[in-house]
Every structure is written in structure tokens, then in C-alpha cells.
Amino acid sequence: MTYTRRKFMGTLSCAALGSTTMLSSLLNLKAANALVSPTYKMASPQNDYKALVCLLLSGGNDSYNMIVPTENTQYNTYKDIRSNQALNTSDLHRINPLSGGEFGFHPSMGDVASLFNQGEVAVIANVGTLIEPVTRKLDFVKDINKLPLGLFSHADQIQQWQTSVPQDRSALGWAGKMADMLRSSNTNTDISMNISLSGNNVFQAGNITTEYTITPYGQGSVGIAGYENASDSFSQIRAQAVKSLLEQQYQDVFKQSYADVIKTSQASHQLFSTAVSSVSLNTIFSPNPVSQSMAMIAKTIASRSTLGMNRQVFFVDFPGWDHHDELLNNQAEMLKVVNDAMKEFNDAMKELGVHDDVTSFMISDFARTLNSNGNGTDHAWGGNVLVMGGSVKGNTFYGNYPNMITDTILDFGGGIVIPKVSTDEYFAELALWYGVSPSDLSLVLPNINKFYDTSSSTAPLGFLM
């Protein structure tokens, strides 16, 4: 095969370096630039192990069909409002929360219902993006500045759930800011504390921190293409050329810095892929991408000592929840994927002996309207999410599942429920458990003081031990 000089040089392009190597390089370059930033704050290092796993149901999950009231009066109200989108009470997996009330999980979520009853899953009810507490008395026109930007917009709301700053479209991710603070907790700073199974995201982007991207399959990390296992003569020549470029000493400080971080990134890839490849789990994960992402997270957690990690945040995006049409069929299929992935991951954490050290939590753009649009539901606001783990005080609802009578104080109109619990309260509890001090909470969540007294001796919601 004949190669021109241009074609040969093309094989040394950014694409050949691999997504993980390039993102890790950006991480290091960003860190070098941000160390002098006046907003940077380093908290005391944490020596125990803790991990957060964020599952984003992007598109807006209809969480009022994920969890349904089953008490006769409440169910009849639910059925009247939801009309042809209502689930049959006989198909639901019944639960009896310690917090009171009668509810059932979606027919596809039998395993999650069992985990809830066992105290390993909790429900955060009627949570959403808020700048400050809101009631129906709010004048939409007059008080527009008190409402989140682009309230029913996918782009805005999916970003705001990741930043918890609904009044700012340029805010950093709250997990990114946590990683900036706690970065010294990990002995290996060449691999980010924040690891993404879904590529670039706002949630894990801090002032210093950029996510380390891995894939759900194979070795997880992706390094320079053909660099390690060059099988044919041309690949060997290319690998040697890349090695020569990286080992060369450059007069230009920027070229030298870039070569150095690429070398560091490739070394990190080799460390990561070797560590993960050595892990064998007895837990069997389903072949769907969400379960496979959770399997890779489990392997990464199992490798925490080799990787030098005391703190980690993982991110998985499960898209496709914008069910304006075919809600019942689509949600049944997709919630089955969530159910399986959660059950399998929970089993794996027990197998690894870190069940108490890993907390998984759910986010979504927004809930859906209580009213049917004919074949589905539309964009709304407050909804319900799940938290899972050994440190979770489960079998309980935190916040109040709304009464579905549409003239309540939480009805925004058109079947839209105003959230009673803010994302700040939800995320503050996770951040405190993770190791952020109460005095630093407002640096991670700028609006927290409008919902929670950070000097309080009680937790924001109380769902974590």
C-alpha cells in the first residue's frame, strides 16, 4: 500500500490520539491555567473512599408514572387527570413507605420496588430547579426574574440540573466545582476525579476539572490509536513517529507543555486500562448500554486503589425520554433498562464491599404534565427522582408527593407541578456526604442559602446517613 506524506501525517492527527487521551490533555492544560484563578479553593483532603454515580434521564422522564399513588382517593384523582396515560393499579409494584402514603412503582420496576422496601432506595418527591421558593401566587409576567431561565426548554433545564444555577446559562457544573475543591483527596491527579461514560458534559466541568471520558466496553480508556499494539509494519512506523514527537524537546513552551501532557495522558490510559482489565466481577450485567456503563463504573471502583482514587464522581446519560408520543410503550421499555441497571449495579457494589461508600442518584430535565396530550405528555417542572446505596435511608419519600388535584397551590397550570424541593437541597445532601464542608456549600451551590441554613445541625433533606 502506498502512503503519501500528507496521508501519513494525517494518521498522526487528533483523531488518532483517542478521545480519553485528548480529554485528559485538556484536563491538564486547563488545570495549569486555572491554578491562579481567584475562585479556586482547595478543601482538606478526604482519606476514606466515596463515589457518586449520576444517571441522567435526558429528555424529561414522566416520573408521575414511574411512581403512582395507590390509595383509592389519590389513585382515582391520578386516573382522572392522566386519562389515557394512567397505569392500572393492579399492574403496579406496591410499596408502603415509612413516611406514609400508599404508592406503587411502574410495572417495569419490580427490582427497584424491592430495593425500596429493603431500605436501599429512597424517593425525592417533587424536586426541580428553583432560584427561590415559588408558589402558584407568583405572577408569571411580573416575577419572571424569579423563575429559572427557559423553564420548559430542554437545553436550559438539562443544563440547570447539572449546575443548580437556574439564573445563569454559563455556570459550571456542581460536580466539577466539588472536584476542584477535593482534588487533593486523590493521589493520582492525572486521571480526573470526574469520570464520564457519556462524553463531554456540564455536570463535571469545573474551573480546573474536566471529565475523564471512558467507554462502557473493552478496556474503558482509549489511548493513542495503534501506539501500544502496532501489529503491521506501517503501524509500527507510525507508533515510532508519535513516540519521537512526544519525546522531542521543544523550544516553544506551549509545544513542550502539550507534548508533556499527551505523554502523561497516554501513561494514565495505560494505567487505567490495565487496572480495569484485571477486574473480574461475578455480577452479571445486561447487554444494554446503561447496564454496561454501570459495569464499567463497577470495574473502575474496584480499581480505585491502583488508580489512586479516594473520591470519584461518575456520569451516565440515558437519552430518549421526551415522550410526547407513545409514552406508555416507550417508558415501559426504558424503565426496564433503568430497573435492571440499578439492580445489577447495587449487587456489584455489595460484591465489591463498597455498598455503603457509593451513592447513585437520578436527574432529568423536568417531569411531564399530569394531563395527557392525547398520546403522551408534555414538558413540565417538578417531578420525582431516586437515590440508591448503602448509606441511603430508604423506604421513605423525602419531600411531599403532590396531591394531584389541579387547583392546589403547587399547580402552575396545564398540569404542571411547581417543585417544592429545590435541586440545591437535593444536591447539598449529596455534596455534604461526599465531603464538602457546610461552610463551602455556597461555593458549589450558590443558591443554597435560600433553601437551607448551612450552619444547621440537620441535613437538608435527611436521606443520607
Side-chain angles (χ1 to χ4, degrees), residues 87-108:
L87 300 172
N88 293 323
T89 185
S90 59
D91 295 332
L92 300 171
H93 296 283
R94 297 296 187 95
I95 56 174
N96 293 293
L98 296 175
S99 49
E102 299 175 27
F103 296 88
F105 271 92
H106 190 281
S108 295

Side-chain angles (χ1 to χ4, degrees), residues 273-453:
S273 58
T274 300
V276 167
S277 297
S278 67
V279 175
S280 178
L281 293 172
N282 293 323
T283 302
I284 298 174
F285 285 84
S286 301
N288 69 75
V290 179
S291 287
Q292 289 301 303
S293 292
M294 292 299 185
M296 185 57 69
I297 292 172
K299 291 178 181 179
T300 305
I301 290 173
S303 306
R304 62 194 180 280
S305 296
T306 302
L307 298 176
M309 297 291 169
N310 289 322
R311 287 291 184 276
Q312 291 180 297
V313 178
F314 298 91
F315 176 78
V316 178
D317 180 9
F318 181 15
W321 296 84
D322 195 20
H323 296 148
H324 294 280
D325 297 297
E326 293 297 329
L327 168 66
L328 296 179
N329 292 334
N330 289 331
Q331 194 179 37
E333 181 179 339
M334 295 176 73
L335 284 177
K336 178 65 165 62
V337 172
V338 172
N339 175 82
D340 293 349
M342 290 181 67
K343 171 63 166 60
E344 293 155 3
F345 186 71
N346 196 64
D347 288 346
M349 294 304 96
K350 290 180 179 179
E351 178 186 343
L352 295 174
V354 292
H355 189 231
D356 293 345
D357 306 321
V358 180
T359 299
S360 305
F361 65 101
M362 181 184 293
I363 65 175
S364 192
D365 318 18
F366 35 60
R368 317 292 295 190
T369 53
L370 299 180
N371 301 348
S372 169
N373 66 14
N375 197 33
T377 51
D378 298 322
H379 302 181
W381 196 357
N384 312 299
V385 296
L386 306 177
V387 187
M388 179 181 74
S391 290
V392 172
K393 299 176 186 176
N395 196 15
T396 303
F397 280 49
Y398 296 87
N400 295 316
Y401 191 100
N403 188 320
M404 291 194 172
I405 301 172
T406 56
D407 62 354
T408 67
I409 197 169
L410 294 178
D411 175 39
F412 199 67
I416 297 168
V417 178
I418 299 172
K420 191 68 173 176
V421 175
S422 70
T423 55
D424 289 272
E425 295 166 275
Y426 179 27
F427 300 151
E429 182 118 356
L430 294 166
L432 289 169
W433 177 83
Y434 191 67
V436 175
S437 68
S439 61
D440 290 339
L441 266 183
S442 61
L443 298 176
V444 176
L445 303 163
N447 296 326
I448 187 60
N449 290 316
K450 296 178 182 177
F451 304 97
Y452 171 67
D453 181 359

Side-chain angles (χ1 to χ4, degrees), residues 159-178:
Q159 179 185 45
Q160 290 167 27
W161 269 87
Q162 295 178 70
T163 66
S164 206
V165 187
Q167 70 272 30
D168 185 357
R169 288 189 170 103
S170 61
L172 297 171
W174 66 269
K177 288 186 281 189
M178 281 201 313

